[in-house]
Amino acid sequence: MDLAVIVVGAGTAGLPCAITLAEHGVRVAVVEKADNVGGALHLSAGQMSAAGSRLQRSKGIEDSPEHHLADVMRLGHGKADPAIVRLAVEEAGASIDWLEELGFAFPDDQPIIYYGHDPYTRARTYWGSELGISVLNALQPRFDKLVADGKIDLRLGHRLTDLLVEDGRVVGVRAETATGTVELRAEAVVLTTGGYAANRAFFDRLHPGLHVLLGARETSQGEGLLAAQRIGAGFRGAEHHLSTVGGIETEPGQGTSNLWEALGNTNANNRIAREIYVNPAGRRYVAEDEPSQDVQERALQAEGGLMWFVFDEAAIDEDEPLVMGWSAEMLREQAAAGEGVWVAADVGELARRAGIDPTGLERTVSDWNAACAAGSDPLGRKALDHPIRTGPFYAVRSEGITVISFGGVTVDGELRVTRGDGGEPIPGLYAAGEVIGAGATMGDAFSSGMCVTPAISLGRLLGRRLAAQVGAAELLTA
Ligand SMILES: Cc1cc2nc3c(=O)[nH]c(=O)nc-3n(C[C@H](O)[C@H](O)[C@H](O)COP(=O)(O)OP(=O)(O)OC[C@H]3O[C@@H](n4cnc5c(N)ncnc54)[C@H](O)[C@@H]3O)c2cc1C
């Protein structure tokens, strides 16, 4: 007998979707290419944002989904999809309550106004002590129980290759396994396969020439998105891509980065820069103490995504490291090895070793020292107490980094995959999570928690709605 619903991808959106379907009595298969569940939660910071949670009310924080929506639209420069954001924020408070019921222990000080991205107007950001793993630890016991009880048919090691279409309707999936190809059929297929921010070839085709380190989990290859595109689904939002600043390449030449191992400590809300930021011409391009991450991110992207931190020996401070994850000793060791970090006795030689234009950098350092002496910087930097004078001199290469993908399949307000923005829905095919593109939930910038929370919320919402549609037929045939 056909399965009622197939959920492809057992990650942040897929787990809540499958749990909800199964708890409504719908037969559900979960097709997952990895040999474990959890998806991006294994790597994610797991920050969430929600208005109207019990936790917020218990702290007397006045907030509403309307305020949240307005903040997201403002922060994303009006580029997010308001219908999708509305769906997500209206469900978000209930998602936080649900996680609490599942055992998620929110730290006492939360929710807070978070300054890692440009801030919301209200305290509505939450995360667990184990970051994304805290979310997984809340979801997985419930999911595992439903699997053990035979309510969810979990197929690990099944990689979706194609969506099966008959008479214009999606009727199932084809998946590769270690032992061959299998086909599963269902009344509806939900794509929760995540983003493509680990797929270098796809990313570079979308953003030719942009320097960006990929920091997503290896599973984020965009396969679900590509399968949907092959049957006519639309694609939108990649033009909204914005990299995070401070990426440090993990292995030279690999183009990847793990932000938990090394990340430039660039947020002026945490640490005031003692270095200058320069582009390949050796020119400064932004006030390094600019508090808006959005301004910093846009400035770097306008430069093509590649920059160096340049500083002198006097700027190294063990207590406030330039690169989070590196001690001063590690920084000096890396510099001695000359891989991604360089050291030299004079600024011109430093530039030659690091690959920066030497004349440009010498001029910039001289201008910077003059600005510090004069107490006035043409770029408006206020922290002028670190001239670059005391050798040896250092340069750390940095690129934009992305842990998410902004492009995704087009969906309508019912989360039905469509044949383009505003196009006809493809019968039988639905999507939630990063496969619909972070641009849909955040526009062209970052709003805290607006990937993880929409993934959970829209996954649950789809589960409920599909249960209402297919559940009745399912109960009749059970
Ligand atoms: C380092 C890092 C930090 C982050 N921090 C935050 C944060 O603090 N807040 C926030 O909101 N967002 C954050 N994000 C983004 C957020 O974690 C993700 O957008 C979100 O978790 C994605 O959920 P998802 O369900 O769409 O995809 P995933 O959780 O990635 O799940 C997709 C699943 O589909 C499976 N899959 C993929 N292709 C196939 C296929 N062909 N066949 C079968 N299965 C397949 C994958 O193996 C995976 O298990 C971060 C991401 C990273 C990497």
Side-chain angles (χ1 to χ4, degrees):
M1 193 187 299
D2 284 357
L3 292 152
V5 177
I6 297 169
V7 176
V8 190
T12 321
L15 292 173
C17 184
I19 290 170
T20 309
L21 283 161
E23 289 186 341
H24 281 78
V26 176
R27 272 178 312 142
V28 50
V30 175
V31 170
E32 167 57 55
K33 68 175 175 177
D35 59 9
N36 61 3
V37 303
L41 292 175
H42 289 280
L43 192 59
S44 177
Q47 288 184 338
M48 297 171 279
S49 56
S53 67
R54 269 196 305 264
L55 205 56
Q56 239 193 1
R57 283 197 300 278
S58 74
K59 305 256 166 108
I61 300 163
E62 279 186 29
D63 200 1
S64 69
E66 283 302 326
H67 289 309
H68 195 179
L69 173 68
D71 269 352
V72 171
M73 295 312 290
R74 170 181 58 82
L75 291 167
H77 307 97
K79 306 278 174 48
D81 180 332
I84 297 297
V85 178
R86 180 176 289 284
L87 277 187
V89 297
E90 285 184 345
E91 189 72 21
S95 294
I96 296 292
D97 294 351
W98 183 59
L99 288 176
E100 237 187 338
E101 286 154 22
L102 292 178
F104 194 115
F106 290 97
D108 289 343
D109 62 343
Q110 290 185 6
I112 61 160
I113 296 185
Y114 176 67
Y115 291 91
H117 303 298
D118 279 14
Y120 288 133
T121 51
R122 320 270 162 129
R124 63 167 82 95
T125 300
Y126 322 61
W127 69 96
S129 57
E130 293 180 75
L131 309 178
I133 293 295
S134 295
V135 180
L136 182 57
N137 286 344
L139 296 174
Q140 200 171 347
R142 180 68 65 97
F143 181 81
D144 285 350
K145 172 90 171 59
L146 290 162
V147 173
D149 291 348
K151 304 265 171 55
I152 293 175
D153 175 4
L154 174 62
R155 311 285 185 107
L156 293 175
H158 280 52
R159 189 174 73 85
L160 167 83
T161 54
D162 295 291
L163 294 160
L164 305 178
V165 180
E166 281 173 11
D167 300 327
R169 180 179 183 87
V170 172
V171 294
V173 301
R174 184 174 300 122
E176 267 176 16
T177 74
T179 51
T181 300
V182 297
E183 289 188 357
L184 299 174
R185 299 172 68 86
E187 288 166 63
V189 172
V190 181
L191 283 179
T192 50
T193 42
Y196 53 81
N199 185 333
R200 172 58 70 184
F202 189 56
F203 200 90
D204 284 354
R205 266 203 309 281
L206 290 169
H207 308 285
L210 181 67
H211 280 272
V212 57
L213 301 173
L214 302 186
R217 190 177 185 229
E218 182 52 32
T219 47
S220 298
Q221 297 291 332
E223 290 157 337
L225 162 67
L226 293 166
Q229 277 190 294
R230 283 197 296 277
I231 64 156
F235 178 65
R236 67 170 172 179
E239 69 281 10
H240 297 328
H241 171 82
L242 186 64
S243 303
T244 302
V245 291
I248 306 281
E249 199 171 33
T250 310
E251 292 288 334
Q254 296 299 301
T256 57
S257 177
N258 180 328
L259 55 80
W260 306 120
E261 289 177 14
L263 184 70
N265 199 352
T266 56
N267 188 327
N269 299 293
N270 297 334
R271 168 186 179 271
I272 299 298
R274 286 188 284 271
E275 50 287 325
I276 57 170
Y277 304 169
V278 301
N279 67 8
R283 189 174 43 77
R284 288 175 64 224
Y285 58 89
V286 72
E288 293 84 354
D289 58 357
E290 164 60 55
S292 163
Q293 286 298 98
D294 190 58
V295 170
Q296 294 267 2
E297 286 152 356
R298 274 164 213 290
L300 177 61
Q301 194 138 303
E303 297 295 325
L306 175 61
M307 55 83 82
W308 287 258
F309 303 106
V310 173
F311 50 99
D312 66 6
E313 185 66 30
I316 298 178
D317 183 330
E318 188 70 66
D319 296 330
E320 281 197 353
L322 161 64
V323 179
M324 292 185 279
W326 289 1
S327 64
E329 192 189 344
M330 279 172 73
L331 176 77
R332 290 196 179 93
E333 276 170 17
Q334 302 260 25
E339 284 185 346
V341 186
W342 296 269
V343 60
D346 70 79
V347 170
E349 180 56 20
L350 177 73
R352 273 184 287 279
R353 289 184 186 173
I356 310 167
D357 178 69
T359 316
L361 187 61
E362 282 172 339
R363 191 183 318 117
T364 295
V365 169
S366 160
D367 289 351
W368 168 244
N369 290 342
C372 290
S376 167
D377 174 34
L379 289 179
R381 173 165 163 175
K382 295 183 190 66
L384 299 171
D385 43 1
H386 283 283
I388 300 175
R389 290 192 198 287
T390 323
F393 301 97
Y394 294 84
V396 176
R397 183 184 153 111
S398 174
E399 293 176 59
I401 172 174
T402 193
V403 296
I404 55 168
S405 37
F406 281 74
V409 289
T410 49
V411 288
D412 65 9
E414 314 267 302
L415 301 172
R416 297 179 295 190
V417 176
T418 62
R419 297 186 181 280
D421 233 350
E424 285 295 302
I426 299 174
L429 188 61
Y430 301 80
E434 205 181 311
V435 70
I436 69 170
T441 54
M442 299 198 301
D444 65 354
F446 297 92
S447 287
S448 90
M450 279 306 286
C451 288
V452 167
T453 336
I456 297 170
S457 299
L458 300 182
R460 293 182 76 214
L461 187 68
L462 252 186
R464 281 204 310 276
R465 289 189 175 174
L466 286 175
Q469 283 172 36
V470 302
E474 166 61 13
L475 292 177
L476 285 177
T477 56

